[in-house]
């Protein structure tokens, strides 16, 4: 529910500060979001957790962080200020 406010608000703030932001997410971003929702739902469905479920969450987080580190940026560099 908070994403319904935060994401559009971030785009508006980006417009104010002249930072190119959009709601056009890459396929990887959408897949990570879907994986996160699926994994969190599976961990929380019974109301209790154990070390294996915690290890799954940590391993998933580390895997996503490693993949994000090596994904090249699309469209080149983004500048936060206008060139004069």
């Amino acid at each position: 529910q908070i994403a319904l406010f935060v994401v559009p608000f971030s785009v508006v703030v980006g417009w104010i500060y002249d930072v190119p932001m959009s709601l056009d997410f890459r396929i990887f971003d959408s897949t990570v979001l879907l994986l996160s929702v699926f994994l969190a739902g599976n961990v929380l469905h019974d109301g209790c957790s154990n070390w294996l479920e915690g290890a799954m969450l940590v391993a998933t987080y580390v895997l996503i962080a490693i993949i994000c580190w090596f994904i090249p940026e699309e469209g080149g560099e983004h500048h936060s200020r206008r060139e004069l």
Side-chain angles (χ1 to χ4, degrees), residues 18 79-84:
D18 196 30
H79 297 286
S80 61
R81 296 182 184 174
R82 288 186 193 175
E83 294 180 15
L84 298 175

Side-chain angles (χ1 to χ4, degrees), residues 4 17 26 31 51:
L4 293 174
Y17 287 105
R26 297 177 296 184
T31 304
W51 66 270

Side-chain angles (χ1 to χ4, degrees), residues 1-77:
Q1 291 173 350
I2 194 166
L4 293 174
F5 174 73
V6 171
V7 174
F9 180 73
S10 298
V11 172
V12 172
V13 169
W15 288 341
I16 293 169
Y17 287 105
D18 196 30
V19 176
M21 300 177 79
S22 71
L23 296 176
D24 185 21
F25 298 113
R26 297 177 296 184
I27 190 71
F28 176 73
D29 299 332
S30 301
T31 304
V32 166
L33 179 64
L34 184 65
L35 175 68
S36 301
V37 169
F38 178 71
L39 188 60
N42 279 336
V43 168
L44 297 174
H45 81 278
D46 60 354
C48 62
S49 64
N50 56 29
W51 66 270
L52 183 58
E53 290 175 340
M56 283 187 343
L57 291 173
V58 170
T60 304
Y61 179 76
V62 168
L63 184 64
I64 291 170
I66 290 170
I67 292 171
C68 286
W69 182 264
F70 289 107
I71 289 180
E73 286 290 324
E74 292 180 10
E77 270 185 52

